[in-house]
Amino acid sequence: MFCHLRPVRRLCLEKISPHWFLYSRSLSGAEAVNALRPFYFAVHPDFFGQHPREREVNENSLKRLSVYLENLQKPGFKSLKPTQLTFYVRETDQNSSDGQEPFSTSGFRAVEFTLHTRDLLSTVLDILNSCSLSTEHLQSLNTHVHSQPLRQARRPPDRPIKWDKSYYSFTGFRDPDEDLEQVSRVETTLISWLDHNEKSAVKKLKNSLPLRRELDRLKDELSHQLQLSDIRWQRSWGIAHRCSQLHSLGRLAQQNLEALKTAKGCTLIFTDRSGMSAMGHVMLGTMDVHHHWTKLFERLPSYFDLQRKLMLLEDQISYLLGGIQVVYIEELQPVLTVEEYYSLLDVFYNRLLKNRIPFHPRSLRGLQMILNSDRYAPSLHELGHFNIPALCDPASLQWFILTKAQQARENMKRKEDRHVL
């Protein structure tokens, strides 16, 4: 009695179903996972680290969905119990005016749906549609399905696929349009970049001027009060951070000015640890409290004694190496304390004494060397100084210095000529 309804049913199916749906009635498990990739990226718990409740809901729902999909793929299954799932879906460019819950201020919305399908393809469609996610990418799914198309089905048009922006945001695939924009940005010239950022730079500079003036004022006042040679920073802290450090030093000066006067004539450096550097600069660790700073200033006389011993040790090494000058270059060497550098010099000096390398007195005057603990072979720097490992073989050191001495003098002369120009 219902035979006359069959043409109507076929016509309705043709109108409401996508063209590719008429070509395939089944998907493999791997194809279903690939088709659901936008969904997984939209609900993956890793994207909800700041929202533990929503993360837990998505984790539990994904476990139940996985069981549902596995049961669909089991051979001989008859029917599955309807499964109600709840997911929190991350925000996309699509609106949610089709009956979905509105987006929260956190950038996600709650979606509830019930699965009662009998095949993977219908399940995939239900999930994507329930979450308002695009299904167009299924057109390009390379399915190996041998089912024949319905007789009245129309062939989908051959045209390039234009993906929605949300597809790229969820799948992580590269958007060709954005790639073109990025290429055009990369090709931006320096002049155009400066022109584009000029107003922003001027505005930021103008806003920072009061704080910069405050930093200069604090630095000048403390340098004058403590009779310091200079105040510097080893790291590129922001201006506000630097002002805070100077304020802290100023409060200590008010509490114990006599102790701080021991730094007269020194360069003071704010850095990561307290002590005296190999260059003789007073280092204030920014993580230390006033008590540690006070102890440091009280110990400065003993540091000065060690510094004098260090300079004497450098002269003794220079004498053993034909008059070559031992120097410490901050820009080219690791940051060492005066204790660390003295220990390094002492090790090298004792090795020289033990082996007694024969150098003609003052034959290497005018040349320079820096001592390193992280090298295994001597080398000559392009600026003309020797890089000498503290533990290098003395015989090899003698041969290297003698064969490279002339080149070292030439390198130093080129450096001096560049400075003159």
Side-chain angles (χ1 to χ4, degrees):
M1 60 181 289
F2 298 102
C3 293
H4 64 283
L5 294 179
R6 290 179 182 174
V8 177
R9 181 184 177 185
R10 184 170 58 245
L11 178 62
C12 294
L13 181 62
E14 187 177 70
K15 288 183 177 180
I16 66 175
S17 300
H19 299 304
W20 49 265
F21 181 81
L22 304 178
Y23 276 83
S24 176
R25 293 301 182 136
S26 64
L27 293 177
S28 68
E31 291 164 346
V33 171
N34 189 39
L36 286 174
R37 189 180 296 272
F39 164 75
Y40 289 132
F41 273 88
V43 303
H44 199 283
D46 287 350
F47 294 109
F48 293 82
Q50 303 297 323
H51 307 281
R53 186 178 69 86
E54 289 77 6
R55 177 189 178 97
E56 183 179 2
V57 170
N58 281 13
E59 286 179 347
N60 294 332
S61 295
L62 282 174
K63 291 177 182 178
R64 297 176 61 196
L65 175 60
S66 178
V67 173
Y68 189 91
L69 295 176
E70 290 178 2
N71 290 335
L72 279 180
Q73 300 173 65
K74 291 181 179 179
F77 84 96
K78 295 182 179 180
S79 62
L80 294 177
K81 181 180 179 181
T83 301
Q84 184 173 357
L85 300 175
T86 300
F87 285 100
Y88 287 93
V89 182
R90 291 194 298 143
E91 185 174 359
T92 70
D93 293 335
Q94 299 172 346
N95 58 48
S96 56
S97 60
D98 55 351
Q100 299 289 347
E101 294 293 328
F103 292 122
S104 68
T105 57
S106 300
F108 53 81
R109 54 186 169 85
V111 174
E112 295 184 2
F113 55 87
T114 302
L115 294 179
H116 48 79
T117 52
R118 296 180 57 86
D119 59 82
L120 284 176
L121 179 59
S122 300
T123 305
V124 170
L125 286 172
D126 279 0
I127 294 173
L128 294 177
N129 289 328
S130 298
C131 297
S132 298
L133 298 175
S134 174
T135 59
E136 292 183 359
H137 62 282
L138 295 180
Q139 297 180 35
S140 62
L141 195 62
N142 186 21
T143 59
H144 301 283
V145 181
H146 302 288
S147 56
Q148 297 296 325
L150 294 181
R151 186 173 300 174
Q152 278 77 15
R154 295 192 299 266
R155 180 179 180 83
D158 294 328
R159 59 181 177 80
I161 300 173
K162 182 69 174 177
W163 300 114
D164 188 87
K165 294 292 184 182
S166 61
Y167 171 74
Y168 299 106
S169 63
F170 286 136
T171 61
F173 295 155
R174 299 180 67 88
D175 186 346
D177 293 336
E178 291 185 0
D179 286 345
L180 291 176
E181 294 177 4
Q182 185 176 3
V183 170
S184 62
R185 288 195 297 268
V186 170
E187 294 176 351
T188 302
T189 63
L190 176 61
I191 298 299
S192 62
W193 184 89
L194 292 173
D195 291 340
H196 179 73
N197 292 278
E198 179 183 5
K199 292 183 179 179
S200 176
V202 171
K203 181 179 179 181
K204 291 181 179 180
L205 177 62
K206 183 178 179 181
N207 293 338
S208 69
L209 287 179
L211 199 57
R212 291 175 182 271
R213 287 192 289 266
E214 174 68 5
L215 178 65
D216 293 338
R217 183 188 67 81
L218 291 171
K219 182 178 177 180
D220 292 341
E221 288 183 357
L222 284 171
S223 296
H224 177 73
Q225 182 182 15
L226 303 179
Q227 301 182 48
L228 300 173
S229 176
D230 192 14
I231 297 179
R232 289 157 45 186
W233 286 263
Q234 183 180 345
R235 293 173 52 188
S236 55
W237 284 293
I239 299 176
H241 197 169
R242 297 188 179 194
C243 286
S244 176
Q245 293 164 354
L246 292 179
H247 278 298
S248 183
L249 181 61
R251 288 192 296 270
L252 180 59
Q254 293 176 355
Q255 299 168 6
N256 197 347
L257 181 59
E258 290 301 319
L260 271 64
K261 284 185 177 180
T262 56
K264 178 181 177 180
C266 295
T267 294
L268 190 148
I269 301 179
F270 288 98
T271 182
D272 295 325
R273 54 177 174 168
S274 296
M276 176 174 282
S277 73
M279 290 292 294
H281 301 326
V282 179
M283 303 189 304
L284 293 184
T286 57
M287 300 301 294
D288 293 337
V289 296
H290 284 180
H291 171 73
H292 298 104
W293 286 3
T294 302
K295 290 294 184 181
L296 169 63
F297 284 109
E298 292 174 350
R299 289 198 305 268
L300 283 184
S302 63
Y303 279 123
F304 294 145
D305 290 339
L306 182 59
Q307 189 181 19
R308 285 189 288 269
K309 294 179 181 179
L310 185 150
M311 296 172 65
L312 178 60
L313 197 55
E314 288 179 336
D315 291 339
Q316 292 172 332
I317 293 174
S318 176
Y319 175 77
L320 294 175
L321 293 181
I324 190 170
Q325 182 186 8
V326 183
V327 296
Y328 182 90
I329 304 177
E330 285 184 296
E331 296 80 5
L332 301 177
Q333 293 181 256
V335 178
L336 299 176
T337 64
V338 66
E339 300 98 331
E340 293 169 340
Y341 189 49
Y342 181 86
S343 176
L344 191 65
L345 289 171
D346 188 57
V347 169
F348 184 66
Y349 175 68
N350 289 325
R351 289 175 64 85
L352 291 179
L353 280 180
K354 182 179 179 181
N355 291 272
R356 288 290 180 177
I357 304 177
F359 278 103
H360 191 280
R362 297 183 297 278
S363 61
L364 298 177
R365 291 186 64 180
L367 297 180
Q368 296 179 340
M369 61 162 281
I370 62 176
L371 200 60
N372 289 289
S373 60
D374 57 349
R375 291 178 177 268
Y376 299 96
S379 63
L380 177 62
H381 195 274
E382 61 179 3
L383 297 180
H385 61 265
F386 289 96
N387 290 307
I388 306 300
L391 299 178
C392 69
D393 176 61
S396 300
L397 174 63
Q398 179 190 18
W399 175 255
F400 182 82
I401 292 179
L402 291 177
T403 55
K404 297 291 184 179
Q406 183 59 34
Q407 184 180 347
R409 296 186 188 279
E410 294 174 358
N411 290 357
M412 294 185 69
K413 188 177 186 305
R414 282 197 298 269
K415 180 183 70 173
E416 294 172 357
D417 293 343
R418 286 198 297 266
H419 287 170
V420 172
L421 294 176

